């Protein structure tokens, strides 16, 4: 007890032991005591001393504490003390340290080194980290919480090494993911901090954490805490989400596919009254906007960015962001970040850009959101970061958006300007900013207008039509002329801000405007003051600030040479190059041109699309303009050194190449069309073949069905015959009373009919006999002389012969009828006899009547089935005939298609031979070009650019 009093500060006699001695004794006690209580008390004492004597405890007690963690796991209390002690030793938290003011300057570095050294000692044995992961799995609060804090501190000190140990540990990351599901908020919140440190700059761990359902759990925590209204826990969760998603394409795709983007929409719901936001809400909303930007960052793969942009539009997230954009009372930094976020959500996505163009500000009358934003950009009283954000938004709106570019330029054209002046258009705002006295507004408006012309030769030509009214009584001047006028005036105009900034902006606009547009170059050179101004600027020896302007003037003059179509006699390519040689010198010109790419601000602007500048004075270059400089710097340098003969040869070669390219393109197009036709014919042949096979199978199936029906028919016929015999042998009474009764009545009717016919014939025979007798008597009376009766005799003989023939025919008919009548009479007698014999038996046939009716019904059914089978047989025969005719037609079509395919292949072979000849000529011309020093693109570059750059090829043809 005296020893404990000495350790804990109690009174004791004699000298007090030093801290190092006390810690040594405690370590010996931890190592040698056999009782758990003694060891626990010693570890508790070490914990109390670990903050004040951090170095001594770390050096002497770390090994013993690790041993306690390994051997005394059954006692949670001693494990908790040991973990807390190790945390105090390793952590660099200085909040509870009591240090003198004189030591504060050197203390942070010493503390950092101390924590890093102890961490390195601890993780030297990887089993220690594995043991710590096992302890973190314990549910006991006194073990789990200090274990989480210690592991977090280890990751802060030696992150990559600890991450690698956890990564190779079995189920290491999965164990830590369980912390997010802990019902105790303290452990859950510290678990979020632990995962923040664990996922820093390690893509493998980020993927494991994401696939362990981290997104679902973190979004649930954010929702439970109240979204943007939540506390610091929401901030920690958002930071962890950023770690998981930033620069990790796999996790971004998983986040999108898991429909987690839809769950972000409630974060940005704001009310009508946005005043009085807490600092934590501003921080949370700022991180939420940054998380959206992570998903649609321009540095992500284009496909992933595009899919996230579409998902944000369909779930209503973009609409919610635009609501914040147009809301009132939103803090300035949140508004700025929202503008940047909307910019990247719409960048390069036509659907989102069209929606943004339709957004109106809640004003009276309503104005487009683009116009309202541009008003802020050209307003010098707005914050600098906000103006930069609006410029970035406008650039993103026009990026790969030919429709939006056309709408902006159309507001400047004479036919679309509102003459009443009731509304302000985007074009008018840009012109106002371009010619204002604020240099920053000049630069922003020039860059914005340059983006409206980016990669769009049609709009560059249309913008030449824009006329500006300078003053009353003076004629209007073109926009191009006004830009060059302001450029030439230079420092004569009193401007607020950088003197160089305005000229740099105007030169960037002119370079973008004139590049790849020969008509604009011609308009520029038509003003006789422009070329002398440029040569004068380049030839002067000015200070460092003016070197950037000189470089841009050299670039503009080089563009005027490279894209010159020689339409102006005084400003042909050769004359301009001679002018450079005389007044500037080629080497000096190339040196001044190199000032641009060597400038520090150029390198900064080339890094990323977003314009981010520390101060307005650093706002000099635009990201897209740096791409243009990189593209044109080399070709302009080569164009300056070329002679007139080389230019002529190059133009001739270019024309020849263009002709050959046109021929090759034509044949490629023909071959593509023939390939498409061939594919279509092959598809038709395959389709007809499959149809033929189906019909053949159908015919085979129908033939088999017909055969089956025939077999069934024959079988039913046999069964019907057997049933008839059986019926005749066992149903005599049924025949007497049933079928034969009907047959007897039918025979009687026929007998009566024949009797009436017989009587009719007998009457006709008697009439004929009377006629014959009359003729005979008349013949005897009239036959006195041969001469007088010759004619009558011949006529009577003819009539007599006819009557004899007719008589014989009637007699034969009578004989036949008599035979039939006799036959019917005998049958009638038989039936009467059978009737008479059947009468006595009729009283005793009641027992067989039911069977007879059943047999009669069965016979009727069999007859109807036979009839149906016969009809089906006939229909199947007809179907077979039609199928056979269809097969014959398909065979004919197949042969025709095969002939067409053979002809197409022959024609394609001929075209390929012709194309090979053209390629040989083209290669020879390329060799000549290379000998002349002209850069020639490879065949693969031409082939890859054949489809994607057809518009640009067309423009070059017009210029040359």
């Amino acid at each position: 007890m005296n020893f404990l009093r000495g350790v804990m500060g109690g009174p004791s006699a004699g000298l007090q032991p030093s801290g190092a001695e006390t810690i040594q004794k405690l370590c010996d006690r931890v190592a040698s005591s056999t009782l758990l209580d003694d060891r626990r008390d010693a570890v508790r004492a070490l914990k109390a001393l670990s903050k004040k004597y951090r170095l001594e405890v770390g050096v002497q007690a770390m090994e013993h504490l690790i041993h306690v963690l390994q051997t005394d796991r059954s006692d949670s209390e001693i494990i908790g003390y040991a973990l807390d002690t190790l945390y105090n030793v390793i952590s660099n938290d200085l909040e509870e340290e009591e240090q003198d003011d004189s030591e504060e300057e050197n203390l942070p570095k010493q503390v950092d080194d101390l924590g890093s050294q102890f961490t390195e000692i601890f993780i030297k044995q990887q089993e220690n980290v594995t043991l710590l992961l096992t302890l973190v799995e314990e549910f006991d609060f006194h073990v789990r919480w200090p274990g989480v804090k210690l592991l977090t501190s280890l990751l802060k000190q030696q992150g990559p090494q600890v991450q690698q140990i956890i990564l190779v540990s079995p189920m290491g990351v999965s164990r830590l993911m369980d912390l997010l599901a802990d019902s105790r908020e303290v452990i859950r919140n510290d678990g979020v901090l632990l995962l923040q440190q664990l996922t820093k700059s390690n893509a493998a761990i980020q993927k494991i954490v994401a696939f362990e359902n981290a997104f679902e759990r973190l979004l649930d925590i954010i929702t439970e805490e109240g979204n943007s209204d939540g506390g610091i826990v929401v901030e920690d969760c958002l930071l962890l989400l950023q770690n998981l998603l930033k620069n990790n394409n796999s996790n971004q795709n998983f986040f999108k596919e898991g429909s987690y983007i839809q769950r972000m929409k409630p974060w940005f719901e704001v009310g009508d009254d946005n005043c009085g936001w807490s600092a934590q809400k501003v921080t949370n909303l700022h991180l939420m906007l940054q998380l959206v930007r992570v998903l649609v960052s321009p540095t992500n793969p284009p496909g992933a960015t595009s899919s996230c942009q579409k998902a944000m539009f369909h779930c209503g997230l973009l609409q919610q962001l635009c609501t914040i954009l147009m809301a009132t009372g939103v803090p300035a930094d949140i508004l700025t970040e929202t503008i940047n976020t909307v910019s990247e959500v719409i960048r390069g996505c036509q659907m989102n850009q069209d929606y943004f163009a339709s957004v109106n500000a809640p004003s009276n009358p309503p104005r487009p959101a683009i116009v309202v934003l541009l008003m802020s950009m050209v307003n010098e009283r707005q914050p600098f970061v906000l103006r930069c954000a609006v410029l970035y938004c406008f650039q993103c709106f026009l990026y790969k958006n030919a429709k939006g570019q056309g709408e902006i330029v159309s507001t400047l054209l004479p036919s679309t300007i509102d003459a009443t002046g009731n509304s302000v258009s985007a074009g008018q705002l840009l012109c106002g900013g371009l010619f204002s006295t604020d240099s920053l507004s000049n630069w922003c408006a020039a860059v914005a207008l340059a983006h409206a012309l980016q990669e769009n030769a049609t709009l560059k030509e249309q913008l030449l039509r824009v006329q500006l009214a300078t003053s009353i009584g003076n004629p209007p001047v073109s926009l191009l002329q006004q830009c060059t006028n302001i450029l030439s005036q230079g420092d004569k105009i009193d401007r607020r801000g950088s003197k160089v900034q305005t000229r740099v902006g105007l030169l960037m606009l002119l370079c973008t405007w004139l590049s790849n547009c020969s008509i604009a170059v011609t308009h520029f050179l038509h003003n006789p003051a422009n070329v002398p101004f440029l040569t004068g600027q380049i030839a002067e020896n000015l200070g460092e600030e003016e070197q950037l302007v000189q470089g841009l003037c050299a670039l503009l003059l080089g563009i005027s040479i490279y894209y010159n179509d020689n339409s102006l006699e005084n400003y042909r390519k050769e004359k301009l190059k001679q002018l450079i040689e005389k007044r500037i010198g080629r080497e000096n010109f190339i040196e001044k041109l190199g000032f641009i790419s060597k400038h520090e601000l150029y390198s900064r602007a080339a890094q990323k699309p977003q314009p981010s500048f520390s101060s307005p004075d650093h706002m000099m270059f635009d990201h897209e303009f740096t791409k243009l400089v990189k593209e044109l710097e080399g070709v302009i340098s080569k164009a300056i050194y070329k002679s007139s003969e080389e230019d002529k040869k190059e133009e001739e070669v270019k024309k020849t190449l263009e002709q050959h390219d046109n021929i090759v393109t034509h044949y490629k197009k023909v071959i593509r069309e023939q390939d498409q036709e061939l594919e279509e014919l092959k598809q038709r042949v395959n389709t007809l073949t499959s149809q033929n096979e189906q019909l053949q199978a159908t015919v085979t199936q129908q033939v088999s069905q017909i055969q089956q029906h025939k077999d069934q028919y024959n079988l039913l016929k046999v069964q019907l015959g057997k049933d008839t015999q059986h019926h005749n042998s066992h149903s005599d009474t049924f025949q007497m009373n049933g079928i034969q009764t009907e047959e007897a009545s039918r025979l009687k009717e026929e007998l009566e009919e024949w009797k009436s016919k017989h009587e009719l014939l007998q009457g006709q025979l008697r009439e004929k006999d009377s006629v014959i007798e009359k003729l005979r008597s008349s013949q005897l009376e009239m036959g006195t002389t041969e001469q007088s009766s010759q004619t009558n005799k011949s006529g009577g003989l003819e009539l007599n012969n006819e009557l004899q023939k007719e008589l014989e025919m009637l007699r034969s008919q009578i004989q036949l009828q008599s035979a039939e009548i006799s036959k019917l009479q005998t049958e009638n007698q038989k039936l009467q006899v059978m009737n008479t014999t059947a009468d006595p038996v009729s009283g005793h046939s009641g027992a067989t009547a039911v069977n007879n009716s059943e047999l009669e019904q069965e016979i009727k059914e069999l007859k109807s089935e036979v009839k149906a089978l016969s009809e089906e047989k006939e229909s199947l025969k007809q179907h077979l005939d039609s199928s056979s005719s269809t097969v014959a037609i398909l065979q004919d079509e197949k042969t025709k298609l095969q002939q067409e395919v053979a002809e197409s292949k022959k024609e394609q072979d001929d075209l390929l031979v012709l194309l090979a000849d053209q390629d040989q000529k083209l290669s020879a011309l390329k060799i000549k070009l290379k000998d002349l020093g002209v850069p020639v693109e490879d065949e693969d570059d031409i082939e890859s650019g054949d489809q994607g750059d057809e518009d640009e090829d067309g423009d070059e043809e017009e210029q040359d």
Side-chain angles (χ1 to χ4, degrees):
M1 294 300 292
N2 291 333
F3 174 74
L4 287 176
R5 287 194 192 98
V7 171
M8 303 306 293
S12 62
L15 296 173
Q16 292 287 341
S18 65
E21 293 174 351
T22 304
I23 292 167
Q24 182 62 45
K25 291 179 182 179
L26 290 173
C27 291
D28 293 340
R29 187 176 175 190
V30 171
S32 60
S33 294
T34 57
L35 294 176
L36 178 62
D37 292 340
D38 291 344
R39 294 198 301 277
R40 186 189 305 120
D41 292 338
V43 173
R44 185 190 297 117
L46 286 172
K47 175 189 173 184
L49 296 171
S50 61
K51 293 182 180 179
K52 186 174 182 180
Y53 300 101
R54 180 183 178 189
L55 177 62
E56 291 81 0
V57 173
V59 171
Q60 301 181 36
M62 182 173 288
E63 184 178 352
H64 301 294
L65 293 172
I66 294 173
H67 183 69
V68 167
L69 296 178
Q70 293 172 345
T71 57
D72 292 332
R73 290 186 57 184
S74 59
D75 185 67
S76 61
E77 191 173 358
I78 191 173
I79 295 294
Y81 291 148
L83 291 172
D84 283 333
T85 306
L86 288 172
Y87 172 74
N88 292 337
V89 169
I90 291 173
S91 174
N92 288 330
D93 188 4
L94 303 178
E95 291 180 358
E96 298 181 7
E97 295 283 350
E98 296 180 0
Q99 300 293 340
D100 296 333
D101 295 337
S102 60
E103 299 177 359
E104 286 183 357
E105 294 181 359
N106 298 325
L107 182 63
K109 185 176 181 181
Q110 295 175 0
V111 169
D112 289 344
D113 293 342
L114 195 61
S116 178
Q117 291 171 5
F118 284 137
T119 301
E120 191 172 351
I121 295 170
F122 184 84
I123 66 174
K124 190 173 184 179
Q125 299 293 329
Q126 296 187 5
E127 295 80 5
N128 295 339
V129 179
T130 307
L131 175 63
L132 188 56
L133 290 174
T134 307
L135 293 173
V136 169
E137 283 188 290
E138 297 288 339
F139 185 75
D140 193 313
F141 180 82
H142 298 287
V143 176
R144 196 171 204 182
W145 187 37
V148 170
K149 293 194 296 181
L150 177 58
L151 191 56
T152 305
S153 182
L154 292 174
L155 286 164
K156 287 181 179 178
Q157 301 296 335
Q158 297 287 341
Q161 293 87 338
V162 179
Q163 285 175 343
Q164 193 61 31
I165 296 171
I166 294 175
L167 191 59
V168 300
S169 176
M171 300 293 291
V173 179
S174 300
R175 296 176 189 176
L176 300 179
M177 285 300 300
D178 294 336
L179 297 172
L180 296 181
D182 200 305
S183 59
R184 295 161 292 192
E185 290 189 3
V186 176
I187 295 178
R188 184 199 69 185
N189 298 343
D190 282 349
V192 173
L193 297 175
L194 170 60
L195 291 173
Q196 275 185 30
Q197 299 297 326
L198 181 64
T199 55
K200 277 185 178 179
S201 305
N202 193 308
I205 293 179
Q206 290 169 1
K207 291 178 183 178
I208 296 173
V209 171
F211 283 95
E212 288 285 345
N213 206 22
F215 293 140
E216 185 76 30
R217 296 182 183 181
L218 291 173
L219 292 173
D220 288 342
I221 294 173
I222 292 173
T223 304
E224 291 171 4
E225 295 291 327
N227 295 328
S228 60
D229 293 323
I232 196 170
V233 179
V234 173
E235 179 182 347
D236 294 336
C237 290
L238 292 170
L239 290 171
L240 177 54
L241 285 171
Q242 283 191 21
N243 285 352
L244 295 175
L245 292 173
K246 195 169 186 178
N247 299 324
N248 194 316
N249 301 328
S250 175
N251 284 1
Q252 290 174 7
N253 187 56
F254 181 67
F255 191 84
K256 179 184 72 68
E257 296 295 336
S259 300
Y260 296 119
I261 292 178
Q262 288 81 339
R263 297 188 60 178
M264 298 169 71
K265 182 187 174 184
W267 296 353
F268 305 104
E269 293 178 354
V270 295
D272 296 332
D273 186 12
N274 297 311
C275 299
W277 283 11
S278 65
Q280 186 62 55
K281 180 172 182 176
V282 172
T283 303
N284 291 344
L285 204 53
H286 200 274
L287 290 172
M288 290 171 176
L289 291 168
Q290 287 182 349
L291 190 62
V292 175
R293 294 184 65 184
V294 166
L295 295 172
V296 293
S297 173
T299 58
N300 294 342
T305 300
S306 176
S307 59
C308 289
Q309 288 172 333
K310 292 176 182 176
M312 289 177 183
F313 175 78
H314 290 302
C315 74
L317 180 58
L318 175 59
Q319 293 83 332
Q320 202 68 45
L321 292 173
C322 290
T323 303
I324 298 177
L325 201 64
M326 296 292 108
T328 56
V330 178
D333 52 347
I334 294 297
L335 181 61
T336 302
E337 190 64 23
T338 304
I339 294 172
N340 289 327
T341 306
V342 171
S343 305
E344 294 183 352
V345 173
I346 68 174
R347 187 176 190 269
C349 181
Q350 187 66 51
M351 177 173 58
N352 293 1
Q353 289 168 339
D354 291 342
Y355 171 76
F356 184 70
S358 66
V359 175
N360 288 324
S363 60
N364 190 16
R367 287 178 175 172
I370 297 174
V371 173
V372 175
L373 291 175
L374 287 177
M375 293 172 101
S376 300
M377 186 185 74
V378 297
N379 186 354
E380 55 185 298
R381 289 176 293 183
Q382 293 293 340
F384 173 67
V385 290
L386 180 63
R387 300 174 74 179
C388 290
V390 173
L391 176 62
Y392 183 47
C393 183
F394 191 73
Q395 292 175 350
C396 292
F397 170 68
L398 297 178
Y399 182 71
K400 292 184 179 179
N401 184 10
K403 179 182 176 183
Q405 289 177 321
E407 291 174 353
I408 297 297
V409 172
S410 67
T411 59
L412 286 166
L413 299 179
S415 59
T416 56
I417 293 177
D418 186 7
T420 60
N422 293 331
S423 61
V424 180
S425 65
Q428 291 171 335
L429 288 171
L430 291 177
C431 282
L434 194 63
F435 307 128
S436 72
T437 56
D438 177 32
S439 60
L440 186 59
S441 297
N442 300 154
W443 191 92
C444 291
V447 170
L449 197 55
H451 275 263
L453 304 175
Q454 200 79 35
E455 297 180 357
N456 199 323
T458 305
L459 295 181
K460 291 177 182 178
E461 296 176 7
Q462 290 185 3
L463 199 63
L464 296 171
R465 298 164 44 203
V466 176
Q467 300 290 321
L468 301 175
T470 54
S471 60
I472 300 175
N474 293 328
V477 296
S478 66
L479 177 62
L480 182 65
Q481 182 62 44
Q482 184 67 13
C483 290
T484 55
N485 291 341
I486 295 175
L487 189 63
S488 61
Q489 290 174 5
D491 298 333
K492 296 178 182 178
I493 301 175
D494 185 19
R495 298 182 185 277
R496 291 179 295 276
S498 173
K499 298 179 181 179
V500 180
Q501 197 171 42
T502 299
R503 286 182 286 167
V504 169
L506 289 172
L507 285 168
M508 286 196 299
L509 172 60
L510 291 173
C511 289
T512 305
W513 194 347
L514 269 60
S515 64
N516 205 15
C517 184
S518 299
I519 299 176
V521 170
T522 304
H523 278 71
F524 177 77
L525 296 176
H526 194 269
N527 186 350
N530 289 338
V531 174
F533 167 74
L534 293 178
T535 55
Q537 287 287 320
I538 299 169
E540 289 182 11
N541 292 322
L542 303 174
E544 292 184 1
E545 292 184 356
E546 297 293 333
Q547 286 183 351
L548 191 55
V549 176
Q550 287 183 319
L552 291 171
C553 287
L555 179 65
L556 182 58
L557 186 57
I559 291 172
S560 301
I561 295 173
Y562 186 72
Y563 291 105
N564 192 342
D565 59 358
N566 294 326
S567 59
L568 295 176
E569 184 63 29
N570 294 331
Y571 296 104
R572 297 174 63 86
K573 286 184 178 180
E574 187 58 31
K575 291 187 177 181
L576 290 175
K577 285 191 282 188
Q578 291 175 0
L579 185 65
I580 291 174
E581 178 67 25
K582 291 178 181 179
R583 296 192 179 181
I584 303 170
R586 293 180 181 177
E587 291 77 9
N588 190 23
F589 179 85
I590 299 301
E591 182 184 357
K592 297 292 177 69
L593 183 63
F595 285 164
I596 303 174
S597 56
K598 293 177 183 178
H599 203 280
E600 180 186 0
L601 298 177
Y602 174 90
S603 303
R604 291 183 187 177
Q607 293 176 359
K608 58 181 181 179
Q610 182 181 359
S612 56
F613 306 99
S614 56
S615 68
D617 293 337
H618 292 164
M619 184 181 265
M620 289 294 175
F621 286 107
D622 172 55
H623 177 75
E624 292 296 327
F625 181 73
T626 60
K627 295 181 182 179
L628 182 66
V629 173
K630 192 180 297 183
E631 177 186 347
L632 294 178
E633 187 175 6
V635 296
I636 289 174
S637 300
K638 291 179 181 179
I640 294 298
Y641 281 103
K642 284 179 184 176
S643 63
S644 59
E645 295 180 357
E646 290 177 346
D647 284 338
K648 290 179 181 178
K649 289 181 180 179
E650 184 181 349
E651 289 178 3
E652 291 177 359
V653 172
K654 279 185 177 180
K655 290 179 180 178
T656 308
L657 281 175
E658 287 174 1
Q659 292 175 358
H660 285 287
D661 288 341
N662 293 334
I663 294 172
V664 172
T665 305
H666 172 69
Y667 282 118
K668 284 180 180 179
K669 185 178 180 181
V670 171
I671 291 172
R672 287 195 199 100
E673 292 175 354
Q674 290 184 348
D675 285 338
Q676 291 177 358
E677 292 177 0
L678 189 60
E679 288 297 327
E680 291 175 358
L681 291 173
K682 285 181 179 179
Q683 290 177 1
R684 286 187 61 189
V685 169
N686 293 333
T687 304
L688 293 173
T689 303
S690 60
Q691 290 179 357
N692 187 15
E693 291 175 355
Q694 291 176 1
L695 291 172
Q696 290 284 2
T698 306
V699 169
T700 305
Q701 184 179 2
Q702 290 176 352
V703 169
S704 62
Q705 288 179 357
I706 290 170
Q707 189 60 39
Q708 290 177 3
H709 288 311
K710 284 181 178 180
D711 296 340
Q712 292 176 2
Y713 174 72
N714 294 331
L715 182 61
L716 290 171
K717 194 172 182 182
V718 172
Q719 290 179 356
L720 181 61
K722 291 180 179 179
D723 292 339
T724 304
Q725 291 178 1
H726 180 75
H727 178 69
N728 289 335
S729 60
H730 293 87
S731 305
D732 291 338
T733 307
F734 171 75
Q735 291 177 1
M736 299 296 182
N737 298 329
I739 296 173
Q740 290 188 0
T741 304
E742 295 177 359
E743 191 174 356
S745 61
R746 182 174 58 79
L747 290 173
K748 286 180 180 179
E749 291 176 357
E750 290 182 358
L751 182 61
E752 293 295 333
E753 185 178 353
W754 284 113
K755 282 181 178 181
S756 60
K757 287 182 179 180
H758 180 67
E759 291 176 355
L760 181 60
L761 291 172
Q762 288 287 351
Q764 291 179 356
L765 184 58
R766 286 193 293 269
E767 289 178 358
K768 298 296 181 180
D769 287 338
S770 62
V771 172
I772 291 170
E773 290 296 330
K774 289 179 181 179
L775 289 172
R776 284 178 180 175
S777 61
S778 63
Q779 183 180 6
L780 292 174
E781 292 175 356
M782 293 172 64
T784 55
T785 61
E786 287 184 359
Q787 291 84 3
S788 61
S789 63
Q790 185 66 34
T791 305
N792 293 331
K793 184 176 179 180
S794 61
L797 288 173
E798 291 176 359
L799 183 59
N800 190 15
N801 291 333
E802 292 177 1
L803 292 173
Q804 287 292 337
K805 290 178 182 179
E806 191 174 356
L807 182 62
E808 291 298 328
M809 289 173 64
L810 291 172
R811 284 177 178 173
S812 62
Q813 288 180 2
I814 289 169
Q815 288 175 0
L816 290 173
Q817 290 177 356
S818 298
E820 289 179 3
I821 289 169
S822 60
K823 182 180 178 182
L824 291 171
Q825 286 177 348
T826 54
E827 288 180 359
N828 189 16
Q829 290 174 0
K830 288 180 181 179
L831 290 172
Q832 287 177 357
V833 171
M834 291 171 71
N835 261 332
T836 54
T837 55
D839 288 337
V841 190
S842 62
H844 304 283
S845 63
T848 61
V850 176
N851 293 331
N852 294 336
S853 61
E854 292 178 355
L855 288 171
E856 181 182 7
Q857 185 66 26
E858 186 176 355
I859 289 168
K860 288 181 179 179
E861 291 177 356
L862 289 172
K863 285 182 178 179
S864 62
E865 189 172 355
V866 168
K867 185 177 179 182
L869 288 172
S870 300
E871 293 175 353
E872 188 173 359
K873 177 183 176 182
E874 291 298 327
S875 65
L876 289 173
K877 282 183 178 179
Q878 294 177 358
H879 200 307
L880 179 60
D881 294 338
S882 63
S883 299
S884 299
S885 62
T886 305
V887 169
I889 293 169
L890 292 174
Q891 288 291 346
D892 292 339
E893 290 185 0
K894 180 179 178 182
T895 55
K896 290 179 181 178
L897 290 173
Q898 287 176 347
Q899 291 175 359
E900 291 178 1
V901 168
E903 292 175 359
S904 298
K905 285 183 177 178
K906 183 179 179 181
E907 186 178 357
Q908 187 176 1
D909 292 337
D910 296 338
L911 290 173
L912 288 174
V913 171
L914 184 56
L915 184 59
D917 295 337
Q918 295 296 332
D919 287 337
Q920 290 178 358
K921 294 179 181 178
L922 188 61
S923 61
L925 290 170
K926 285 182 179 177
I927 292 171
K928 291 181 181 180
L929 277 175
K930 288 181 179 178
D931 294 336
L932 294 172
V934 178
V936 180
E937 292 181 344
D938 292 333
E939 182 70 21
D940 295 334
D941 297 334
I942 296 173
E943 184 66 24
S944 62
D946 183 55
Q947 294 180 358
D949 296 328
E950 289 180 2
D951 292 338
E952 295 182 4
D953 292 342
D955 295 336
E956 290 179 1
E957 289 176 43
E958 292 178 4
Q959 295 157 9
D960 294 331

